[in-house]
Amino acid sequence: MKYPIILFLIAILCVQCMTTSKPIPEKQYGLITEKAMVVSAREEASKIGVEIMKQGGNAFDAMIATDLALLVSYPSAGNIGGGGFMVYRQKDGTIGALDYREKAPLAATKNMYLDAHGNVDSDKSQIGALAVGVPGTIAGLFEVHEKFGTLPFEKLIAPAIRLAEYGVVVTEKQAQNLNDHTNDFKVANKRTIVLDKVWKKEDTIKYPKLTQTLKRIQANGRGEFYKGETANLIVDYVQNLGGIITKEDLASYEVKWRNPVTFEYKNHRIISMPPPSSGGICVAQILKSIEPYDIEQYAHNSIQYMQVITEAERRAYADRSYFLGDPDFVTIPTDSLTSKTYLSRRMASFDWKQATMSSELSRGVFPGYESTETTHYSIVDQFGNSVAVTTTLNSSYGSKVYVEKGGFFLNNEMDDFSAKPGAPNVYGLVGAEANAIAPQKRMLSSMSPTIVEKDGQLKMVLGSPGGSTIITSVIQNILNVLEYDMTMQESVSKPRFHHQWLPDSIKVETSFDTLNFPSLKKLGYNIDQSNTPIIGKVDAILVLPDGRLEGGADPRGDDSADGF
Ligand code: GLY
């Protein structure tokens, strides 16, 4: 008799559940394709990358074509006057990373941005010709082509040439962005330039000078940019504006193949960018610091979720500021920084009842150790290769210096160095000796192109722009999918937050739910909702359980997924 009663009660409970509980929201998927995909900041660039793969090209061919298409369609960050990083995973599981980061010119000096009183003159490191680092993008693209390309480079650059010649239709966001920077363009170039007009949606921008530059690169190869006519145009223009880049700087630029940072997070293998990016090490530190916590038991973006992640971020960024720099110049204790023992010691001071004060926390100590605008795109090809690429001019339109006869912007990556210990850069990041300026040194980055594997198979490709917030945008998207089972599109669309040790505040997007702020403030957390309409712009690809690909194109921009 007992069992029918229990069954009856269960049945009533179920009926109640069905009538009183909220319906489970349907999952919102992004574009789903069978074999191949590109997700990037612009529709034109994603389409061009996909077209190359349809013609039989692989993910590396598509990377080159997409990158050059972004130069034309997304000139605030897409570039040949900047640099970037690529993390890749081939179909057989081989992984690697390419560093084509800018370098300090030979004539750069440690104190070059200090004024007579020893204060940082950030105008010099952020805008104008003195802010420009030696660009690495063209060297990077040719290196990728030499090692992995299957289609001729001339074919891969052709779509970008067509785009530059016939023009790009301006989106509303792009028109706004261009108009916001008109004055900076004038300051940096000491004159009016071609992009100087009031832009509106649906305008077309044509780039006749850039068309010529790309055609010369198509005809003459890598040497055109580093030793040819384009090199001369860059050096003449920069030096006329008071910059220090020489022909020798360009001629001696070299890319570096690096070993990615790899680590395990709850049965997933994460593969990310090593120094001179801080990305991989910080992503590893943050995720490994929170791994002992049962993250999925906290509601997404709840008080506890924000606390544990903020405290891990605070500690990782404090270490970043002290230990990280160009590995060709400084010794980085990567193993110690990412060891489980060290990270659990670091998190030991975390108290659920009270925020740690950044002023009371500095870098960790190990026994024996002495010592907006970037863009990201993700690609998976029909053969199973994947690439995650983050490329940058640093700020939007970089230094705003526009090589007039070449038709392209130059970076202001020199601001990513620590111009003076403890003095914040454009992202509020502080640094120390490890990231001090030296000739031919690479400035520390936060760019974190990342690939995630599960059981030896590709699971996710992701990355973001956003300066210091790149790292925290990447980890939140890894957690959204791994801990909260979100689709890729749901994940990239979720509101984000960020803590970077100094300044001691949790930055939140303006769309972030304010419900928990009073409680967080009571616990000692400062919340900063000013000036941060968005944090990061994540473009990512998720491999679904049935092997199909789902794109997550960040709705914060004009980002777009395409594929077949
Ligand atoms: N310029 C931004 C970064 O490399 O982190």
Side-chain angles (χ1 to χ4, degrees), residues 111-121 124 420:
N111 296 332
M112 63 190 276
Y113 299 119
L114 301 191
D115 65 17
H117 307 289
N119 298 320
V120 177
D121 181 350
K124 282 192 185 154
K420 181 183 172 182

Side-chain angles (χ1 to χ4, degrees), residues 15-36:
V15 170
Q16 268 194 341
C17 282
M18 285 191 303
T19 50
T20 58
S21 67
K22 283 189 204 152
I24 299 166
E26 264 192 33
K27 285 188 172 293
Q28 303 294 317
Y29 289 93
L31 176 75
I32 294 181
T33 66
E34 298 289 327
K35 293 182 183 158

Side-chain angles (χ1 to χ4, degrees), residues 210-346:
L210 182 59
T211 307
Q212 294 314 312
T213 299
L214 292 174
K215 281 184 176 169
R216 288 196 305 275
I217 293 172
Q218 187 182 41
N220 306 327
R222 178 195 192 280
E224 167 60 34
F225 189 87
Y226 290 98
K227 293 180 179 160
E229 187 184 333
T230 306
N232 294 337
L233 293 179
I234 295 171
V235 171
D236 288 350
Y237 193 73
V238 166
Q239 290 190 354
N240 268 334
L241 291 172
I244 54 174
I245 289 184
T246 60
K247 286 186 189 170
E248 195 185 347
D249 280 317
L250 286 169
S252 60
Y253 182 87
E254 290 294 347
V255 302
K256 291 260 170 141
W257 291 100
R258 311 241 183 226
N259 292 323
V261 169
T262 62
F263 64 97
E264 294 287 321
Y265 176 79
K266 297 187 182 172
N267 298 324
H268 291 79
R269 184 183 185 219
I270 317 279
I271 303 152
S272 193
M273 192 66 207
S277 177
S278 60
I281 290 181
C282 288
V283 168
Q285 283 196 302
I286 296 166
L287 287 178
K288 287 173 81 165
S289 295
I290 66 170
E291 193 173 22
Y293 298 84
D294 189 3
I295 297 293
E296 65 182 345
Q297 72 168 310
Y298 315 130
H300 187 256
N301 283 349
S302 63
I303 297 172
Q304 285 163 311
Y305 179 78
M306 288 179 75
Q307 273 187 283
V308 73
I309 287 172
T310 295
E311 295 300 346
E313 288 173 355
R314 186 196 309 278
R315 286 156 178 78
Y317 278 84
D319 282 349
R320 176 195 194 277
S321 81
Y322 183 81
F323 291 108
L324 304 190
D326 183 346
D328 298 340
F329 284 70
V330 292
T331 309
I332 298 173
T334 305
D335 291 345
S336 304
L337 282 168
T338 55
S339 92
K340 235 181 175 161
T341 325
Y342 168 70
L343 293 169
S344 74
R345 227 177 41 235
R346 282 290 264 170

Side-chain angles (χ1 to χ4, degrees), residues 83 85 101-102 276-279 320 372-374 390-395 412-413 415-416 425-427 429 443-448 464-471:
F85 298 128
R101 180 74 162 162
E102 301 91 324
S277 177
S278 60
R320 176 195 194 277
T372 213
E373 186 97 8
T374 298
T390 316
T391 179
T392 187
L393 290 165
N394 194 21
S395 304
N412 63 340
E413 222 70 61
D415 190 63
D416 271 348
N425 73 358
V426 72
Y427 303 110
L429 287 168
M443 52 298 281
L444 185 62
S445 170
S446 301
M447 293 190 290
S448 315
S464 178
S468 56
T469 66
I470 293 172
I471 293 163

Side-chain angles (χ1 to χ4, degrees), residues 79-117:
N79 67 82
I80 52 174
F85 298 128
M86 174 182 80
V87 171
Y88 68 86
R89 181 185 184 280
Q90 289 175 275
K91 58 182 175 211
D92 65 359
T94 308
I95 58 167
L98 181 66
D99 164 4
Y100 52 100
R101 180 74 162 162
E102 301 91 324
K103 295 175 81 169
L106 284 158
T109 59
K110 186 172 175 178
N111 296 332
M112 63 190 276
Y113 299 119
L114 301 191
D115 65 17
H117 307 289

Side-chain angles (χ1 to χ4, degrees), residues 38-47 66 69-71 73-78 171 173-174 373-378 389 391 465 537-540 552-554 556-561:
V38 180
V39 190
S40 82
R42 283 286 296 217
E43 189 181 348
E44 297 86 339
S46 298
K47 280 195 187 315
T66 304
L70 284 167
L71 155 74
S73 57
Y74 195 65
S76 59
T171 66
K173 287 186 175 115
Q174 192 172 30
E373 186 97 8
T374 298
T375 189
H376 174 86
Y377 53 92
S378 297
V389 177
T391 179
K537 255 191 324 125
V538 178
D539 283 342
D554 203 315
R556 291 162 181 81
D558 296 319
D559 305 47
S560 161

